[in-house]
Amino acid sequence: MSEHKHPFVPLEFEKSEISDVSQRAKEIYEELDSRRTVREFSSEPVPRSVIEDLILAASTAPSGAHKQPWTFCAVTDPEIKSRIRKAAEKEEYENYHGRMSDEWLNDLEPLQTDWNKAFLEIAPWLVIIFRKSYDLDDGEKKKNYYVQESVGIASGMFLSAAHRAGLVALTHTPSPMNFLCEILGRPKNEKPFLLIPVGFPADDVKVPDLKRKGLDDVAEFYE
Ligand code: IYR
């Protein structure tokens, strides 16, 4: 039974002084607030071991019934990156020339995005996160739970880990992105969730001067 599958063990937890908790919460906010989405990458290589650790960090995310319903595909092979770029640009060209509404295009305008996705070949790594709507155990379907929530949390943790490690990333959402299953030969229980180029920023890269919402705009306290 399941109680034998995951025997309970004592929690490893070191209680901190509340003053240290306050200080660290502030520092963590400041550190994460310095993260920016970057669309222009340097081609400087990043060792595979770094990407492995970022994936392991992301994979510590909580998940429905601890199913960890994700696969992180890390691509550095130039030929595969080039195939991904071609396929993504084909879809994005259609998006930017008729498939996206005027309101959507207007909302994207300040970010200066377009159908050209050079970063898909320039960034040293493309990490494609797949969600597993169910598990395949020797061909047998096994249910997963709260898959979107679980994979969303893992993706956020991946982005935070990359930032804290000193790299930049982009949350890219080619749409539709079924071509990724084909190019990467993924099994039929896996659907692409996000494509995240990771690496160092290009020299002198500029980012839009975005302001983040203040606490009053994103939180309500009930005390
Ligand atoms: N998938 C398109 C459009 C796009 C969508 C969002 I949401 C963005 O934040 C930025 C772009 C693209 O990647 O260009």
Side-chain angles (χ1 to χ4, degrees), residues 7-54:
F8 274 51
V9 292
L11 172 69
E12 279 177 38
F13 182 85
E14 218 178 290
K15 181 94 195 283
S16 302
E17 294 296 330
I18 199 62
S19 56
D20 291 338
V21 172
S22 304
Q23 167 89 10
R24 282 205 298 266
K26 227 175 242 334
E27 285 168 5
I28 288 167
Y29 161 53
E30 279 162 13
E31 187 178 5
L32 293 185
D33 193 34
S34 70
R35 186 199 57 79
R36 293 301 313 262
T37 290
V38 166
R39 292 188 160 75
E40 286 161 84
F41 289 79
S42 151
S43 58
E44 184 177 338
V46 169
R48 170 180 160 151
S49 61
V50 171
I51 302 301
E52 288 177 352
D53 282 333
L54 298 181

Side-chain angles (χ1 to χ4, degrees), residues 123-172:
W125 290 96
L126 305 180
V127 174
I128 300 101
I129 306 178
F130 286 82
R131 65 180 167 87
K132 294 161 106 170
S133 36
Y134 55 92
D135 272 330
L136 274 178
D137 204 357
D138 280 335
E140 199 190 326
K141 275 191 180 187
K142 292 265 170 68
K143 245 175 145 6
N144 285 332
Y145 311 91
Y146 295 103
V147 171
Q148 299 280 12
E149 291 83 349
S150 304
V151 182
I153 295 167
S155 302
M157 290 178 66
F158 182 86
L159 293 169
S160 298
H163 172 66
R164 293 197 58 189
L167 297 173
V168 296
L170 164 62
T171 20
H172 179 41

Side-chain angles (χ1 to χ4, degrees), residues 39 92 96 100 104 108 111 113-114 117 172-174:
R39 292 188 160 75
E92 294 293 6
Y96 283 86
M100 296 193 294
W104 191 350
L108 286 177
L111 305 180
T113 59
D114 61 23
K117 303 298 175 191
H172 179 41
T173 53

Side-chain angles (χ1 to χ4, degrees), residues 51-71:
I51 302 301
E52 288 177 352
D53 282 333
L54 298 181
I55 293 172
L56 285 170
S59 200
T60 66
S63 60
H66 189 53
K67 296 283 189 167
Q68 297 183 268
W70 46 68
T71 302

